[in-house]
Amino acid sequence: MKRLFLLFTLVVFALCANAQSVTKFLGIPVDGTEYAFKNKLKAKGFKDSKLIGGALEGEFNGEDVYVSVQTQGGKVQRVIVSDRDYRDEGQIRIRFNKLLDQFSRNEKYFTDYRNEYLVDSDDLSYEMSVNNKQFQAAFYQKANETSTLANSSYRLVWFAVTRNPLLGFGIAIYYENRLNEADGSDL
């Protein structure tokens, strides 16, 4: 009986440790089933989107957003947070640079990427449509205060400028659990 209890305790501890070590979005581990993940988001006030099938909508970081969930092998692998409202080039520069500041100052994140602010001379429309340039920034989410790049590389959070030729520009933020990525085993 003691062995069974010890085995049960170890399994519970391992499951809790794994849940604690993956990327989190609004405190929710980016893991488990899509159904369970979306229910946790709904408990935080998100609602099913009437415009985008399978997505939720709500407020995040002061913006009205859509939230989509991507799975791999039945587990949540990525959460995509997309602006609901589009902006012009000047407004998206301000939004991008503000997000870059927020992530850079937030102690829950660190980076080894060369993230650059958008400047007025960046012609986003031209660069994105003609040269297929991407404007993005990337960070790693720390599991705790002693996290290092080596033990955080699978907790990637990045954001990019998106462009709709008819509506304007937006931002998409990606919260990734790289432990749940496809590993080629299906090949």
Side-chain angles (χ1 to χ4, degrees):
M1 188 67 162
K2 280 186 177 181
R3 283 186 180 179
L4 184 59
F5 178 74
L6 180 60
L7 180 61
F8 176 76
T9 304
L10 289 173
V11 168
V12 169
F13 177 76
L15 290 173
C16 290
N18 184 47
Q20 297 297 323
S21 66
V22 300
T23 310
K24 291 183 180 177
F25 173 68
L26 292 174
I28 305 167
V30 178
D31 203 7
T33 67
E34 179 178 6
Y35 178 80
F37 188 86
K38 284 184 173 181
N39 280 338
K40 290 175 185 174
L41 283 177
K42 288 177 182 179
K44 290 186 176 271
F46 285 82
K47 299 187 179 341
D48 289 316
S49 172
K50 293 180 171 108
L51 294 176
I52 301 176
L56 301 175
E57 58 184 67
E59 186 177 321
F60 176 70
N61 195 32
E63 298 285 333
D64 292 326
V65 297
Y66 296 111
V67 177
S68 301
V69 177
Q70 291 181 343
T71 61
Q72 172 62 37
K75 289 181 154 186
V76 176
Q77 187 267 320
R78 176 187 285 165
V79 175
I80 305 166
V81 182
S82 305
D83 286 348
R84 192 176 77 184
D85 301 318
Y86 290 92
R87 296 166 167 79
D88 64 27
E89 277 194 44
Q91 293 167 329
I92 207 62
R93 275 190 201 91
I94 293 168
R95 172 132 164 73
F96 182 94
N97 291 342
K98 182 179 175 183
L99 266 177
L100 186 53
D101 270 342
Q102 288 174 334
F103 274 102
S104 297
R105 288 184 284 118
N106 191 320
E107 293 181 4
K108 295 188 298 187
Y109 296 93
F110 62 96
T111 189
D112 67 343
Y113 292 96
R114 206 176 111 217
N115 297 320
E116 296 181 12
Y117 290 94
L118 298 182
V119 295
D120 289 340
S121 61
D122 289 326
D123 186 341
L124 304 181
S125 292
Y126 178 82
E127 292 296 337
M128 292 177 80
S129 62
V130 175
N131 294 328
N132 293 320
K133 185 170 181 179
Q134 295 182 18
F135 296 93
Q136 60 190 26
F139 294 84
Y140 297 103
Q141 193 177 73
K142 297 178 182 178
N144 55 48
E145 298 80 34
T146 61
S147 291
T148 64
L149 179 59
N151 65 17
S152 297
S153 62
Y154 52 88
R155 290 189 297 272
L156 182 65
V157 179
W158 60 286
F159 60 95
V161 174
T162 61
R163 179 174 180 265
N164 179 310
L166 300 175
L167 301 174
F169 297 90
I171 296 283
I173 307 173
Y174 303 84
Y175 288 78
E176 298 190 4
N177 176 352
R178 297 174 89 183
L179 293 173
N180 288 347
E181 284 182 342
D183 61 4
S185 61
D186 294 343
L187 300 176

